[in-house]
Amino acid sequence: MKKGTRVAIQGIKASFHEEAAFKFFGRDIQTIECNSFKQTCESLEKGNADFVIMAIENSIAGSLLPNYTLIREYNFAVVGEVYLAIQLNLMALPGVKFEDIKFATSHPIALRQCVDFFYDYPNIQVIEGSDTAACAKKIRDEQLTDTVAIANSLAAELYGLNIIERRIESNKKNYTRFLILKSDKTEELTEINKASICFQVGNHVGALSKVLNIFAEQQVNLTKIQSMPVLGRRNEYYFYVDMEWKDMEKYDKAIRQALKYTVNFNIMGEYQKNDKV
């Protein structure tokens, strides 16, 4: 990866998106902060970023459905994936003790993932914020001595906060999968063993089953299938499918056969499997 690669992230520095970007690309990158997932896509489309890193599913909260639509509509190439363990810590300004805390703030999903912890402390008022890292930054900027943020250790490090309690998330096996997006598919990867595809099938008995069986017959393993309604079309759906294989020739054969039974077939990306959390 060339020095200073620009990666658009949703959120600010030290957010989970930046942590995931560091895990995939290494620390020697320039992160482009964006307020929304749509803004990350616009940043890539306008050439202000080289890549987008985009959360696509969480093991507790499920799939981020609008993001599938963004990838399809902008026609970006999926060139990689990274899984990140979501570890949530309670952090405050140096010197603040646990008994000083009156408020806890974080992203709504992060707060939901820590309900067991806060059940034991009903005196702490929970306040929703826009972003985990932004909540940590606000404590630093406004010197809030009665407030804690729930965020990753990267945020504590960047904004000079002390971690009071580590790993307060209820489920210790919580992870998020992120996709790496590029504006084109020019980069050739040496080892390709995973793909993300999108297609539609006719609205008749066995239409989807026929396509899925083609992949099964060629020993292509479907790791995820997600349906999304086609906007304004009743009983019409896009199917987003992730698949893995050991034999590239069998994958190619399955794709050729599947094309005969689908419409709007799109290989969103072929890349290297990277599912270590």
Side-chain angles (χ1 to χ4, degrees):
M1 198 53 57
K2 69 176 186 290
K3 187 177 171 67
T5 295
R6 300 166 303 163
V7 183
I9 62 168
Q10 189 270 322
I12 68 168
K13 289 187 185 302
S15 64
F16 283 107
H17 273 81
E18 186 177 62
E19 188 180 348
F22 286 158
K23 187 176 178 185
F24 187 86
F25 293 102
R27 289 258 181 162
D28 201 8
I29 59 171
Q30 180 190 346
T31 46
I32 312 294
E33 299 173 324
C34 300
N35 294 327
S36 65
F37 288 116
K38 186 171 176 62
Q39 200 180 329
T40 64
C41 292
E42 285 170 1
S43 183
L44 180 58
E45 190 176 53
K46 289 172 182 170
N48 298 327
D50 304 305
F51 296 92
V52 164
I53 187 159
M54 181 180 281
I56 202 70
E57 64 185 271
N58 175 267
S59 56
I60 295 172
S63 294
L64 283 77
L65 298 179
N67 288 359
Y68 280 100
T69 304
L70 282 173
I71 297 167
R72 194 191 75 252
E73 287 180 348
Y74 279 89
N75 199 27
F76 292 149
V78 180
V79 296
E81 65 176 352
V82 63
Y83 284 76
L84 184 70
I86 303 300
Q87 300 181 354
L88 297 166
N89 306 298
L90 207 64
M91 57 194 69
L93 287 170
V96 171
K97 295 184 174 60
F98 194 85
E99 51 269 27
D100 302 329
I101 300 165
K102 291 176 185 167
F103 307 100
T105 178
S106 193
H107 187 278
I109 290 178
L111 290 171
R112 283 207 299 276
Q113 290 169 0
C114 301
V115 286
D116 294 345
F117 178 85
F118 287 107
Y119 182 80
D120 295 331
Y121 302 101
N123 55 307
I124 299 176
Q125 187 184 337
V126 173
I127 300 169
E128 292 185 355
S130 60
D131 179 73
T132 53
C135 292
K137 183 176 183 289
K138 186 179 179 182
I139 289 173
R140 194 271 316 265
D141 291 350
E142 298 181 18
Q143 291 292 295
L144 304 174
T145 54
D146 60 355
T147 305
V148 284
I150 299 161
N152 57 15
S153 53
L154 200 61
E157 184 188 317
L158 183 63
Y159 301 116
L161 302 182
N162 277 356
I163 293 178
I164 297 176
E165 288 274 347
R166 288 186 183 272
R167 304 295 307 274
I168 66 166
E169 71 274 9
S170 302
N171 189 324
K172 306 299 180 199
K173 293 184 177 175
N174 181 14
Y175 65 85
T176 297
R177 177 181 175 227
F178 298 80
L179 295 179
I180 315 301
L181 309 176
K182 204 164 173 261
S183 56
D184 56 58
K185 298 180 172 77
T186 51
E187 208 168 289
E188 287 293 319
L189 292 173
T190 48
E191 190 184 336
I192 292 168
N193 53 14
K194 190 166 182 178
S196 296
I197 69 169
C198 172
F199 58 84
Q200 290 174 261
V201 294
N203 184 21
H204 56 265
V205 173
L208 178 60
S209 173
K210 176 75 180 171
V211 177
L212 300 185
N213 279 332
I214 287 169
F215 291 107
E217 285 160 10
Q218 297 302 326
Q219 278 111 50
V220 175
N221 181 32
L222 306 186
T223 57
K224 179 171 186 181
I225 181 162
Q226 182 77 54
S227 66
M228 284 270 291
V230 178
L231 206 60
R233 301 278 189 90
R234 202 159 62 90
N235 296 331
E236 288 189 31
Y237 294 87
Y238 286 110
F239 293 97
Y240 296 88
V241 179
D242 290 337
M243 55 188 64
E244 300 170 0
W245 61 86
K246 289 186 177 157
D247 186 333
M248 190 73 184
E249 281 184 25
K250 287 186 172 181
Y251 162 73
D252 285 338
K253 187 177 178 182
I255 292 290
R256 284 197 303 275
Q257 290 178 358
L259 279 167
K260 298 172 193 169
Y261 302 98
T262 58
V263 290
N264 295 329
F265 190 98
N266 179 21
I267 298 174
M268 297 164 72
E270 296 170 334
Y271 48 96
Q272 196 167 349
K273 176 182 167 183
N274 179 21
D275 60 1
K276 290 189 180 69
V277 178

